[in-house]
Amino acid sequence: MEFSKRIDQMQESPIRKLVPVAEEAKKNGKKVYHLNIGQPDIKTPPEFMNSIKKYDEEVLSYSFSEGLPQLIESFIKYYKTYNLEFEKDEILITNGGSEAILFSLLAVTDTDDEILVPEPFYTNYNGFSSAAGVKVVPITTKAENGFKLPSKDFIQSLVTKKTKAILLSNPGNPTGAVYTRDEMNALTDIAKENDLYIISDEVYREFIYDGFEYKSFASFENIKDRVILTDSISKRYSACGARIGMIACKNKDLIKQILKLCQGRLCVPTLEQIGATELIKVSKEYLDDVVEEYKKRRDIVYNELKNIEGVICEKPHGAFYVIAKLPVDNAEDFVKWLLTDFDIDGETIMLAPAEGFYATPGLGIDEVRISYVLNENSLKKSMNILKVGLKKYKKNNTL
Amino acid sequence: MEFSKRIDQMQESPIRKLVPVAEEAKKNGKKVYHLNIGQPDIKTPPEFMNSIKKYDEEVLSYSFSEGLPQLIESFIKYYKTYNLEFEKDEILITNGGSEAILFSLLAVTDTDDEILVPEPFYTNYNGFSSAAGVKVVPITTKAENGFKLPSKDFIQSLVTKKTKAILLSNPGNPTGAVYTRDEMNALTDIAKENDLYIISDEVYREFIYDGFEYKSFASFENIKDRVILTDSISKRYSACGARIGMIACKNKDLIKQILKLCQGRLCVPTLEQIGATELIKVSKEYLDDVVEEYKKRRDIVYNELKNIEGVICEKPHGAFYVIAKLPVDNAEDFVKWLLTDFDIDGETIMLAPAEGFYATPGLGIDEVRISYVLNENSLKKSMNILKVGLKKYKKNNTL
């Protein structure tokens, strides 16, 4: 029995594929700190469950394909606080940010088209692109250089007749980089000059540190009909299990096209939309506190990483990830070894090998993505495990 | 700004595209009986909300990509009651039956491949096929003939080198037809002889009347590694808004491949899986009562339809739909007219024009799909509205 080429070529999620190894370690009694996945330990605001518990319809019926009107209204109000104006027929509710990106790709690309993606990038962009039959053309950026984008001319040189869109996250997962105004200007110019869409994944909008300014690609008036904003409540409100995302676009005709995909899958779960409606109304203070907490965590991880011999990393200014280059030949082997052969007092860590976050073969093999989503104490312990583990692993490998 | 060809060519859902016309009618004070959509009015068993209300985790975190273990276990036990044996690594939980079908298609077809689909078929198969870039090759069946499949030789003649799968629903949406043993044997032989998968959508499994026997394609030992069973709790437990579906397949390697797609979208909502786990444990008596109720409804609709002059329809033996050929030139015009220009005492009906349930151009233009998902009284009123409406519409059109 054969499978499709597209699925055969699809990589396993580097964030999730080593889960069985971690599960085995846990079975053997080890405690595993999960720094591999962006699953925050922050409490979900109680507004979510409280509103769901009030649901008393006798029939749990289909919702609207475009999403619950009150949830769309909630998003509109939220965006207004960022000076982003959307109307109700410019927003579609999706099954998480994942579906938002997949549907956006399906709407603006055909098979064998190309998209430009700054690498390293959120690894599941690979999966969505494979599903859509689209070729990822990476715009390579490097840790040593703070993940700065190359020049406009260089990026322009990557555009072909088949290029249909630029897909990116800002603030960046896994880089933690926040695009500067100059970088954004270069990208929006390229989009305009080459008739491209920008699919802008802004799920980490609030997670910006060190006084860096947040600016949405959706705020550029001159390309507003070619910016597809994708979003999710998962990280912002620590509600990853709700799977509520969204597409917003000033191009109403494009929204109408994507609505056909939404109609195909009928609707997003009703209850989760009810909970999300209330979550989005949670006060700005809640988010300020969360971001303050993440800044502390970022500082712990970054400061510890700097002090580990042979580790190279740039200070991330956004999101809650950092890419670290490790003094090992193969980061995946090391990550596995940490789970199978190493512990300190019965505790170890799980990291995400970074190779799967790159499209260029060979890049990221000695890198990992670290999610700083755990409390300070766990992060301190984790960084010590990494430090001691690295020393022991190198010693083993040079014997 | 251009859109992708695939989305441009995608049809709007014939079930949902006239919703704005219906909303307008409601704004003007009309009551609309919705026979266009398979949204039952049966109460969702309270087990669903009761179990969700007990959820007390502080963090609503990601679930497993393959699904909650207890929900998978629930499905395994449920299938055992139908003598279908699945192991836990042979089942994946999906966002409704919709995602189950889309993922199955992506896993076994590449762009420009072909799938055989008996028509008329569940209209969203069109949407999923467009998204996957796959060509639907219809196996035409006709109301006048009880939607019987053509001969094995004829179906065989539709197979090309590009054919990868047969996609069907059994019992059939929108036909209400239940495949006979001979028809199933023909299809399974064709699958085996031509190295095809059978994607079998069995969400209406329990909805069978008149003593017809239910047999799953997954019960054929000789092709068990090529049958992909897709399922959903939506209709069975009147929980359409939960969006919980499933893929089951004895071909563990295929399941592993589809798991990559599941990992890409991270997981299905946690709460809905908890609710679904308990729903599936609901007693067989609940389902027996539901099916008895639908049989009554089927009888009302079928008996009334038979008495309307010029209407042609076959008695459906399964699911809760019937395709009716109407004495009009264009069923969509008639359906719109019912909403905009007709009512009896302020009440009218909404039907689904059937053209979108066919892939062959020109077929179904004078047909509608009627969902008998409302209570007896509403159905009786609805059939009267249809009868009087048809008479008036014909009169208007012959003036």
Side-chain angles (χ1 to χ4, degrees):
Chain A
M1 300 299 301
E2 278 186 22
F3 312 122
S4 65
K5 280 181 213 84
R6 60 181 150 204
I7 204 159
D8 224 17
Q9 288 161 2
M10 195 178 294
Q11 67 177 7
E12 276 188 272
S13 164
I15 303 166
R16 294 195 164 222
K17 73 177 175 181
L18 297 179
V19 168
V21 185
E23 291 298 313
E24 191 61 29
K26 287 179 200 170
K27 263 191 208 154
N28 297 332
K30 275 189 208 178
K31 177 172 170 60
V32 178
Y33 292 103
H34 280 277
L35 308 182
N36 58 306
I37 191 161
Q39 170 58 60
D41 67 349
I42 306 273
K43 285 182 196 169
T44 313
E47 282 82 351
F48 185 82
M49 276 311 294
N50 289 348
S51 60
I52 288 178
K53 283 178 182 167
K54 282 186 211 140
Y55 183 81
D56 63 354
E57 299 283 332
E58 289 192 328
V59 182
L60 181 68
S61 50
Y62 287 122
S63 174
F64 296 97
S65 296
E66 60 271 29
L68 269 191
Q70 60 263 44
L71 176 54
I72 291 173
E73 201 51 53
S74 239
F75 269 115
I76 288 175
K77 281 193 188 144
Y78 162 83
Y79 285 122
K80 268 202 212 314
T81 68
Y82 287 98
N83 294 316
L84 297 174
E85 298 284 336
F86 289 106
E87 294 171 38
K88 63 184 181 181
D89 54 353
E90 295 170 350
I91 288 182
L92 297 168
I93 306 302
T94 57
N95 282 300
S98 309
E99 190 181 73
I101 294 167
L102 178 62
F103 280 6
S104 300
L105 283 179
L106 288 172
V108 303
T109 66
D110 283 300
T111 306
D112 294 331
D113 278 343
E114 297 173 4
I115 55 172
L116 297 183
V117 189
E119 76 176 347
F121 50 77
Y122 174 46
T123 179
N124 286 330
Y125 292 172
N126 261 330
F128 306 139
S129 302
S130 301
V134 170
K135 187 181 165 197
V136 170
V137 176
I139 306 171
T140 306
T141 70
K142 296 203 164 158
E144 303 88 292
N145 191 26
F147 300 108
K148 287 266 153 298
L149 285 179
S151 70
K152 187 187 159 189
D153 285 349
F154 181 80
I155 298 172
Q156 174 64 47
S157 76
L158 299 173
V159 176
T160 73
K161 274 186 187 164
K162 292 190 163 184
T163 313
K164 294 292 165 66
I166 302 169
L167 168 62
L168 46 78
S169 60
N170 187 37
N173 170 8
T175 61
V178 181
Y179 288 119
T180 63
R181 189 64 69 97
D182 283 348
E183 288 175 313
M184 294 182 91
N185 285 338
L187 291 175
T188 56
D189 284 353
I190 288 169
K192 204 172 163 63
E193 288 155 19
N194 298 279
D195 195 18
L196 309 180
Y197 288 94
I198 294 181
I199 304 171
S200 184
D201 173 357
E202 303 185 4
V203 306
Y204 297 99
R205 180 174 301 121
E206 283 81 4
F207 300 86
I208 296 196
Y209 321 111
D210 315 316
F212 271 67
E213 180 206 19
Y214 167 71
K215 187 170 169 64
S216 172
F217 276 97
S219 69
F220 287 81
E221 268 299 310
N222 62 333
I223 56 155
K224 65 179 183 179
D225 57 342
R226 46 180 88 247
V227 172
I228 308 171
L229 181 62
T230 66
D231 209 339
S232 158
I233 65 164
S234 293
K235 314 296 175 172
R236 196 170 297 146
Y237 306 105
S238 196
C240 297
R243 315 304 306 122
I244 293 294
M246 190 227 54
I247 293 172
C249 184
K250 299 299 293 178
N251 186 330
K252 289 180 204 275
D253 290 331
L254 181 63
I255 289 288
K256 263 187 218 155
Q257 294 282 350
I258 300 177
L259 178 57
K260 293 192 284 191
L261 286 165
C262 294
Q263 288 178 338
R265 55 84 166 118
L266 305 170
C267 69
V268 168
T270 307
L271 294 179
E272 314 284 345
Q273 294 192 76
I274 289 170
T277 302
E278 297 310 312
L279 263 191
I280 297 173
K281 296 177 188 166
V282 163
S283 75
K284 200 103 177 161
E285 285 73 48
Y286 165 84
L287 280 174
D288 290 345
D289 289 348
V290 169
V291 173
E292 189 56 35
E293 172 66 23
Y294 276 111
K295 185 181 169 304
K296 261 190 240 164
R297 296 174 177 192
R298 192 271 320 253
D299 290 342
I300 290 168
V301 167
Y302 177 64
N303 291 331
E304 298 287 334
L305 284 175
K306 266 199 319 190
N307 289 327
I308 302 177
E309 206 190 313
V311 169
I312 297 173
C313 78
E314 271 292 311
K315 191 176 196 169
H317 299 293
F320 42 57
Y321 307 99
V322 57
I323 286 276
K325 204 181 264 290
L326 304 181
V328 300
D329 289 337
N330 186 307
E332 185 168 325
D333 279 349
F334 173 63
V335 170
K336 271 190 207 158
W337 177 86
L338 281 172
L339 292 168
T340 54
D341 286 78
F342 184 73
D343 68 84
I344 296 182
D345 300 333
E347 298 188 334
T348 191
I349 55 175
M350 182 168 180
L351 309 170
E355 188 184 0
F357 294 75
Y358 289 85
T360 305
L363 290 185
I365 291 179
D366 57 350
E367 298 177 3
V368 291
R369 185 191 74 167
I370 298 172
S371 310
Y372 44 94
V373 288
L374 304 182
N375 62 53
E376 298 182 40
N377 192 35
S378 299
L379 285 178
K380 278 181 186 159
K381 281 188 177 177
S382 297
M383 288 302 105
N384 187 52
I385 290 167
L386 176 61
K387 185 176 178 173
V388 178
L390 269 175
K391 201 177 274 181
K392 184 160 179 216
Y393 180 79
K394 283 200 288 181
K395 208 169 148 191
N396 286 358
N397 284 354
T398 48
L399 283 180
Chain B
M1 301 300 301
E2 278 186 22
F3 312 121
S4 65
K5 279 180 215 86
R6 61 180 148 204
I7 204 159
D8 224 16
Q9 289 161 1
M10 195 177 295
Q11 67 176 7
E12 276 189 273
S13 164
I15 302 166
R16 293 195 165 222
K17 73 176 174 181
L18 297 179
V19 168
V21 185
E23 293 298 315
E24 192 61 29
K26 287 179 200 170
K27 264 190 208 153
N28 297 333
K30 274 189 209 176
K31 177 173 171 60
V32 178
Y33 292 102
H34 281 277
L35 308 183
N36 59 307
I37 191 161
Q39 171 59 60
D41 67 348
I42 305 273
K43 285 183 197 169
T44 313
E47 282 81 351
F48 184 82
M49 276 311 294
N50 289 347
S51 59
I52 287 178
K53 283 180 181 165
K54 282 188 208 138
Y55 183 80
D56 63 354
E57 299 283 332
E58 289 191 328
V59 182
L60 181 67
S61 50
Y62 286 123
S63 174
F64 296 96
S65 296
E66 61 270 31
L68 268 191
Q70 60 264 42
L71 176 54
I72 293 174
E73 200 52 52
S74 238
F75 269 115
I76 288 175
K77 281 192 187 145
Y78 162 82
Y79 285 122
K80 267 201 210 315
T81 67
Y82 286 98
N83 293 317
L84 297 174
E85 298 284 336
F86 290 106
E87 294 170 38
K88 62 184 180 182
D89 54 353
E90 295 169 349
I91 288 182
L92 297 169
I93 306 302
T94 57
N95 282 300
S98 308
E99 189 180 74
I101 292 167
L102 178 62
F103 280 7
S104 299
L105 283 179
L106 288 172
V108 304
T109 65
D110 283 300
T111 307
D112 294 331
D113 278 345
E114 296 173 3
I115 55 172
L116 298 182
V117 188
E119 76 176 348
F121 49 78
Y122 174 47
T123 178
N124 287 328
Y125 292 171
N126 262 329
F128 307 139
S129 301
S130 301
V134 169
K135 187 179 164 198
V136 169
V137 176
I139 305 171
T140 306
T141 70
K142 297 201 165 160
E144 302 87 294
N145 190 24
F147 301 109
K148 286 268 154 295
L149 286 179
S151 70
K152 186 186 159 189
D153 285 349
F154 180 81
I155 299 172
Q156 174 65 46
S157 75
L158 300 172
V159 176
T160 73
K161 274 185 185 165
K162 291 189 162 184
T163 313
K164 293 294 164 64
I166 302 168
L167 168 62
L168 47 78
S169 61
N170 187 37
N173 171 6
T175 61
V178 181
Y179 288 119
T180 63
R181 189 64 68 96
D182 283 348
E183 288 175 312
M184 295 182 90
N185 284 338
L187 291 174
T188 56
D189 284 352
I190 288 168
K192 204 172 164 61
E193 287 156 19
N194 299 279
D195 195 17
L196 309 180
Y197 288 93
I198 294 180
I199 303 171
S200 183
D201 174 356
E202 303 185 4
V203 306
Y204 297 98
R205 181 174 302 123
E206 282 82 3
F207 300 86
I208 297 195
Y209 320 111
D210 314 316
F212 271 67
E213 178 205 20
Y214 166 72
K215 186 170 169 65
S216 172
F217 277 97
S219 69
F220 286 80
E221 267 300 309
N222 62 334
I223 57 155
K224 64 179 182 179
D225 56 342
R226 47 181 87 246
V227 173
I228 307 172
L229 181 62
T230 66
D231 208 341
S232 158
I233 65 164
S234 293
K235 313 296 175 172
R236 196 170 297 146
Y237 306 106
S238 195
C240 297
R243 313 306 304 125
I244 293 293
M246 190 229 52
I247 293 173
C249 183
K250 299 300 292 177
N251 185 332
K252 288 179 204 277
D253 290 331
L254 181 64
I255 289 289
K256 265 188 216 155
Q257 295 281 350
I258 301 177
L259 178 57
K260 293 193 283 189
L261 287 164
C262 294
Q263 288 178 338
R265 56 79 166 123
L266 304 169
C267 68
V268 168
T270 307
L271 293 179
E272 314 286 343
Q273 293 191 75
I274 289 170
T277 302
E278 296 310 310
L279 264 191
I280 298 174
K281 295 177 187 167
V282 163
S283 74
K284 201 102 180 162
E285 285 74 47
Y286 165 83
L287 281 173
D288 289 346
D289 289 349
V290 169
V291 173
E292 187 57 34
E293 172 65 24
Y294 277 110
K295 185 182 171 301
K296 261 190 239 163
R297 296 174 176 191
R298 192 271 319 255
D299 290 342
I300 290 169
V301 168
Y302 177 66
N303 290 333
E304 297 289 334
L305 284 174
K306 267 199 317 190
N307 290 328
I308 302 177
E309 204 189 313
V311 169
I312 298 173
C313 78
E314 271 293 308
K315 190 174 196 170
H317 299 292
F320 41 59
Y321 308 100
V322 58
I323 286 276
K325 204 181 264 290
L326 304 182
V328 300
D329 288 337
N330 185 307
E332 186 169 325
D333 279 349
F334 173 63
V335 169
K336 272 191 207 157
W337 177 88
L338 283 172
L339 292 167
T340 53
D341 287 77
F342 184 75
D343 67 85
I344 296 182
D345 300 334
E347 299 187 334
T348 190
I349 55 174
M350 182 171 181
L351 308 171
E355 188 183 0
F357 294 76
Y358 289 84
T360 304
L363 289 186
I365 290 178
D366 57 350
E367 299 177 5
V368 291
R369 184 191 75 167
I370 298 172
S371 309
Y372 42 96
V373 289
L374 303 182
N375 61 54
E376 296 181 41
N377 192 35
S378 300
L379 285 179
K380 278 181 187 158
K381 281 188 178 177
S382 297
M383 289 302 103
N384 187 51
I385 290 167
L386 176 62
K387 185 176 177 172
V388 179
L390 268 175
K391 201 175 275 181
K392 182 156 180 222
Y393 180 80
K394 282 198 289 182
K395 206 168 150 192
N396 286 357
N397 285 353
T398 46
L399 282 182

